[in-house]
Amino acid sequence: MIITCPRCFSADDVRPPRRLPDQVLQYRCLNRVHGDHEWLTTRQAVQPLGTVEEGVTDELLDPLSRCVEPGDPFLEYGVVEHRLRTRYPDLFAAHVAEQGHSMFGPRPYTASSVRFGVALGRLERMGELVSEYGPATGAWRHNGQVTYWARTPTTDRLTWAAHCTQLGRSPEWTDNDRADLKQPPAADSTRC
């Protein structure tokens, strides 16, 4: 089972869980760049939501690769995800329906962290993309820092908030963002 940090979207620095009373699991990510992050969840929540089944991110590789174009500056994660949503709406909606999204409220292991983030990490390991950490803006600011993605390293960045300004939309989640998306049922007693 792969447990991905909901802050940095990586499984590389996640330590084995510490078992707490009431079947609560405490995970800790020790990412040097992003900083330590701890979260709590239950074994029941981890089993259905925290796993990335073999091949589940395969269908995301090509679409996400196309969401980061040659010549783009480093794009804040939210910009990449927004491009995925607008260019591949059915694919995006299917993954949100299965895994959830933070736009519906705090929840560990959303499509963003467990699927889209894992697929982007795979693209980086394949040499197609590069990433760096930077400030999280707008609806993503609860993360503190997020990944920024580009084809090649650059000194320029496009934040989610600046992207939203360009589009004339709010950088916060809106009812329009939630429209036509389905949230999976809540897991038992998850806490993030």
Side-chain angles (χ1 to χ4, degrees):
M1 168 175 11
I2 298 171
I3 302 298
T4 306
C5 174
R7 180 182 276 175
C8 70
F9 304 129
S10 174
D12 297 340
D13 300 309
V14 176
R15 299 296 173 242
R18 186 172 143 218
R19 296 179 193 283
L20 301 175
D22 299 325
Q23 298 184 354
V24 173
L25 301 175
Q26 178 185 32
Y27 282 93
R28 186 170 188 197
C29 178
L30 303 176
N31 187 289
R32 290 185 318 224
V33 176
H34 189 69
D36 292 1
H37 177 64
E38 291 183 359
W39 67 99
L40 302 175
T41 189
T42 63
R43 178 177 288 280
Q44 295 84 1
V46 172
Q47 294 302 326
L49 298 174
T51 60
V52 178
E53 295 174 16
E54 188 66 33
V56 78
T57 60
D58 289 351
E59 71 179 352
L60 293 167
L61 295 176
D62 184 58
L64 279 167
S65 180
R66 293 172 187 257
C67 291
V68 181
E69 299 169 357
D72 275 341
F74 269 110
L75 303 173
E76 184 176 350
Y77 170 81
V79 177
V80 178
E81 184 181 283
H82 184 259
R83 286 181 178 179
L84 179 69
R85 181 182 184 161
T86 57
R87 295 175 184 181
Y88 304 91
D90 294 338
L91 179 66
F92 181 86
H95 282 274
V96 170
E98 291 175 9
Q99 200 71 44
H101 197 283
S102 61
M103 73 175 75
F104 294 102
R107 179 185 185 124
Y109 310 115
T110 64
S112 298
S113 63
V114 177
R115 295 194 179 174
F116 307 149
V118 168
L120 286 166
R122 286 179 63 191
L123 289 168
E124 182 173 34
R125 287 188 296 280
M126 293 165 55
E128 289 191 36
L129 300 178
V130 294
S131 72
E132 67 179 17
Y133 288 100
T137 65
W140 300 100
R141 74 179 168 278
H142 67 277
N143 290 317
Q145 288 189 332
V146 293
T147 49
Y148 282 68
W149 299 91
R151 289 266 170 208
T152 57
T154 175
T155 58
D156 298 325
R157 285 184 174 172
L158 178 61
T159 66
W160 167 246
H163 177 69
C164 290
T165 298
Q166 291 173 353
L167 296 176
R169 60 154 288 153
S170 170
E172 304 302 325
W173 300 126
T174 67
D175 289 340
N176 285 340
D177 291 319
R178 294 177 195 90
D180 301 324
L181 293 177
K182 294 177 182 158
Q183 177 74 350
D188 291 338
S189 305
T190 58
R191 293 186 287 170
C192 183

